[in-house]
Structures are given as C-alpha cells and as structure tokens.
Amino acid sequence: MTMDYLPDREFAVALPTSILTWTRKTRTARVRMEFHNPGYFLKPGMFATVQVTSELEASALLVPDMAILRSGEKNTCSSL
C-alpha cells in the first residue's frame, strides 16, 4: 500500500487474510486489511492506493473477453 503524502513508504499487509464484502447490486466490494503501522503514520479515514496480486491456479482456463457469449442467465465461450 502506498499513500500520496508518503511516496517513499510502502506498507505491507500484516495478515495474509482479508474480509471481503460483495454487493451485487452496485458491483462493489469492500475489503478490510490490516497493515503494519510502525511510527503510526496511518490514521483512520485516510485514502491509499493498494496493489493486490494473486496467482492463477494451474487448471485455470483463460479466454479473451471478446470470446465470451453473454446471454441472460448463461455465459459460454464461442470457441476453444
């Protein structure tokens, strides 16, 4: 995590797990993460930029977005 007012500092997640709340209607997610805060630079209500990375499972299938046929209740792939 980085913050505009401390461009030379990066903060690491203290706990590898996070709490995720998904709202389907607004298509938004709220994530709660805990960060190490040496020197108490982080305060409640501050805005930050968080970079989230993840690794795909070996069995994951990747297709271009344009190859997905979207229809009402079902999404299918046009060709594999």
Side-chain angles (χ1 to χ4, degrees), residues 5-16:
Y5 92 102
L6 291 171
D8 58 335
R9 297 274 322 235
E10 289 187 0
F11 296 88
V13 173
L15 300 173

Side-chain angles (χ1 to χ4, degrees), residues 4-80:
D4 288 342
Y5 92 102
L6 291 171
D8 58 335
R9 297 274 322 235
E10 289 187 0
F11 296 88
V13 173
L15 300 173
T17 58
S18 61
I19 300 169
L20 174 69
T21 306
W22 173 257
T23 306
R24 181 182 297 257
K25 185 177 180 179
T26 60
R27 296 183 180 184
T28 59
R30 294 189 77 169
V31 180
R32 178 181 171 89
M33 298 178 186
E34 293 184 20
F35 291 87
H36 292 289
N37 190 15
Y40 301 103
F41 292 108
L42 304 176
K43 308 282 190 244
M46 296 178 106
F47 288 89
T49 301
V50 178
Q51 181 178 354
V52 179
T53 58
S54 65
E55 294 184 22
L56 294 175
E57 301 230 359
S59 62
L61 174 65
L62 300 177
V63 295
D65 188 52
M66 292 177 57
I68 300 174
L69 301 174
R70 303 181 195 286
S71 63
E73 299 176 8
K74 187 175 179 183
N75 295 334
T76 57
C77 187
S78 62
S79 63
L80 288 176

